[in-house]
Amino acid sequence: MTTASVEAFSDARSREAARLDLGRNLIVEAGAGTGKTTLLVERMLFLLLGGLEGGARPIDCERLVALTFTERAAAEIKSRLALRLDKIAAGIQGGASAREDEGLLLELERSFARSKEQALDLALAALRGLGRAQIGTIHSFCSTLLRLYPLEAEVDPDFSVDPEEEALDGLFEAEWSLWLEGELGDAAPRPEAWRKVLGRATPADLESMARAFLQPRADLDKA
């Protein structure tokens, strides 16, 4: 087997696991345009139309959570999921499913013992309940939880979420100044360590590196 065929085989197996291995937590790392969103949508389809434990326990929309960093990405996922569910239902009812949906239906029958009639019922139920699925940003999901349990979280239920960049920048400025004051003030707890650090980097360098840790992926080579 050639290297190219081995890589293709490995990629196919990884994609299959991402779609169908529903009982485990998986991490998918891939470049832009390689189909990560498509894989995620198909994984959600198998959860809604197949379920866990060999299809014995289909997932209700209220239990479906998909979190992203941006509203745009969340809207795309929800739109794609709704479109696929609608196409699957329409294809079964009309007797002419699209090729990708026909393959999914065959996989549902093989791996989850779902007939087309059962898949149709589940697809229609998912479409009706899709508005109750938690498909959105991390901020919106956390906001929902806090508004549901404001007493337990000790927050005002009428709170608002700060714009992410402004909130992080303001918080960093305040906390960084306090931290430096404590580290370099009269009661500095680690003066010898700081002499060594400041002999190799300026406070501005350290601030730049600290800011890099706030990014989704910190490039430590440039920090």
Side-chain angles (χ1 to χ4, degrees), residues 54 62 75 87 118 170 201:
E62 301 91 89
K87 286 176 61 181
Q118 289 174 322

Side-chain angles (χ1 to χ4, degrees), residues 36-124:
K36 295 187 297 297
T37 301
T38 299
L39 279 179
L40 177 60
V41 168
E42 292 221 337
R43 186 176 177 87
M44 290 191 285
L45 285 171
F46 282 118
L47 283 168
L48 292 169
L49 306 182
L52 299 174
E53 299 175 1
R57 196 155 53 90
I59 300 300
D60 294 328
C61 283
E62 301 91 89
R63 297 180 57 208
L64 187 65
V65 178
L67 304 182
T68 69
F69 286 105
T70 67
E71 294 287 355
R72 181 179 178 181
E76 181 181 0
I77 291 171
K78 198 164 190 175
S79 175
R80 284 202 200 183
L81 181 58
L83 181 61
R84 286 294 302 277
L85 287 168
D86 186 62
K87 286 176 61 181
I88 288 168
I92 295 173
Q93 291 172 322
S97 298
R99 184 175 178 181
E100 63 176 346
D101 296 329
E102 190 63 39
L104 185 139
L105 290 171
L106 289 173
E107 193 63 64
L108 282 171
E109 183 177 3
R110 183 179 67 181
S111 300
F112 300 92
R114 293 281 184 231
S115 67
K116 286 189 176 182
E117 292 74 19
Q118 289 174 322
L120 173 60
D121 290 341
L122 290 167
L124 292 174

Side-chain angles (χ1 to χ4, degrees), residues 147-196:
R147 293 187 201 283
L148 285 173
Y149 305 102
L151 293 178
E152 293 83 348
E154 298 182 356
V155 298
D156 182 343
D158 196 33
F159 69 85
S160 60
V161 179
D162 288 330
E164 183 177 358
E165 291 185 7
E166 295 178 16
L168 281 176
D169 193 58
L171 180 62
F172 179 87
E173 291 288 350
E175 293 299 325
W176 180 254
S177 298
L178 287 173
W179 184 72
L180 276 185
E181 184 179 340
E183 288 291 322
L184 302 177
D186 294 335
R190 292 173 285 272
E192 292 301 323
W194 272 103
R195 287 192 184 94
K196 293 179 181 179

